[in-house]
Amino acid sequence: MHRRNFLKTGSIAGITLSALSINGCTAVPEKKPVDTPEAYNFELNEATIDELQQKMKDGKYTSRAITQLYLDRIHNIDKNGPKLNAVIELNPDVLSIADAMDNERKSGKIRGPLHGIPVLLKDNINTKDKIATTAGSLALVDNYIGKDAFIINRLREAGAVILGKTNLSEWANFRSTRACSGWSSKGGQTKCPYILDRNPSGSSAGTGSAVSANLCVIGIGTETDGSVVSPSSVNGIVGIKPTVGLLSRSGIIPISKTQDTAGPMARTVTDAAILLGILAGIDPEDAYAPKDNSKIQPDYAKFLDANGLQGKRLGIEKTAFTGNPDMEALLQNAITVLKSKGATIIDVELVKELKPIGTDEFTVLLYEFKDGLNKYLGTANSKVKSLADVMAFNKANEAKAMPFFKQEIMDQAQAKGDLNSKEYIDAVAKTTGITRKAIDKIMGDNKLDAIIAPTNGFACTIDLVNGDYDNGFGFSTPAAMAGYPHITVPMGAAHGLPIGLSFVSTAYKEADIIKLAYAYEQASKKRVIPEFKIDLLS
């Protein structure tokens, strides 16, 4: 949940408190802090899935060697040096998993494009490895599941190496209206790798920061409203929020059954598309999953087309031109690129039309958070078994669990009834139903292939005392409330701070917007490697 976008639409509505569980990976050698720009050089900088596969095929690297390089990188960059604090826990079995993949390769078995590729996961996704699933909360440090989430089972079957888990805004940013994105009581505050006093955005802050800083090849985040696309945007990477249900939510700590989804986060559209195809699948336990395979593409990378913008009609969100002038300049440049590749741009207005139902979205999330979390905790391997237990733990351990902001959103959720409540049923009809109709109508009336806009404004500064502030624009909410697909790709940067360009369409149109985003990416080439600046003036 990207709480700042939510609060805006609802009015359309390094500190570490506990030692990071990173010492379980004994293969990581002790490193001295990184203190020179030269030390940021990394032999796998900007490496892609295809490049690493080729290097393993040629015998230059093994999966173990690649994994060890990323472990060293995490130790140098994440825990020393700039101290991004993006990784909350490493997998103690990671090198043995890499060895197993190497042994399979030697025997001639290659599972697919992710065979032997290290992946980082947001710490609200269950894994059977010796890693807790905590949502960043001290209340869940004992939550060792012993069973993979559905999407992690698919990831493992594809031969991926589970490197570890990333920090997040605690409870996916659904605890307090005054929260600072990227902070959790277990993991502390994650930083933006471009400028270290800037917020990496929530709630998939750790995954966004880690992927951008080359701590892994690819990562997985989750989104309720903005939490894949927003951290992808401000960390200068690609993020895909798929149609709700395309990726199973089983085994993921929930906020909303109508809006939650996991999503790929990568440095290129190609890698994000590859990961999406691996994760997508029909899960009988997820009521929102497609009923058959007709909605699912096993390979989204086959839709990559550098000429994919030719003849396409794109609706540009008009309210994006009333914000930060630096953002507007980047958007105008993006429009020029889009037109040069054959796209037609049409002005549309969606955000203002949806403003009145922002408070209904919050109502839906309060009800669904309570219901979903109680069901998850009821079968979890933790002493806390309900939302009420979590709140009681936080109050009993307030100095460590709630040192900067409290839990008033949890208080509001706990006060709600069940999902048969008329208030809830009416709110769902307004959010999901009205938003889908609005997007469908704009798309149909204008014969559009997608709606585009800046994903959000530039990263705000980290402020643990006052919490997040409005950064001027956000375009996550329409697709989030509709449950529709949304991809963001780097659009450029101002003052060293990147932002993304969003492409949104209707249900199960992932292939269409991936094609558009790839064509824009290839024509613009706006991804820039982070420099780990201390502040805006350095």
Side-chain angles (χ1 to χ4, degrees), residues 94-141:
V94 65
L95 291 178
S96 64
I97 296 172
D99 286 340
M101 293 303 102
D102 285 333
N103 289 335
E104 287 189 7
R105 186 179 294 272
K106 288 176 184 177
S107 70
K109 179 180 179 180
I110 307 294
R111 300 190 184 200
L114 294 192
H115 190 109
I117 299 294
V119 183
L120 283 170
L121 321 170
K122 186 175 180 180
D123 186 28
N124 61 348
I125 305 172
N126 290 351
T127 55
K128 66 182 180 183
D129 298 306
K130 303 181 189 74
I131 320 172
T133 303
T134 72
S137 172
L138 291 176
L140 288 188
V141 293

Side-chain angles (χ1 to χ4, degrees), residues 2 27 30 63 68 82-83 98 127 171 229 264 268 312 316 353 405 414 454 469-470 497 531:
H2 181 223
E30 188 65 28
S63 177
Q68 185 64 64
K83 295 185 179 179
T127 55
W171 294 109
V229 296
T268 67
K312 302 302 182 184
I316 178 72
E353 184 175 344
F405 48 87
Q414 181 62 18
Y469 57 81
D470 187 343
L497 295 169
E531 295 183 5

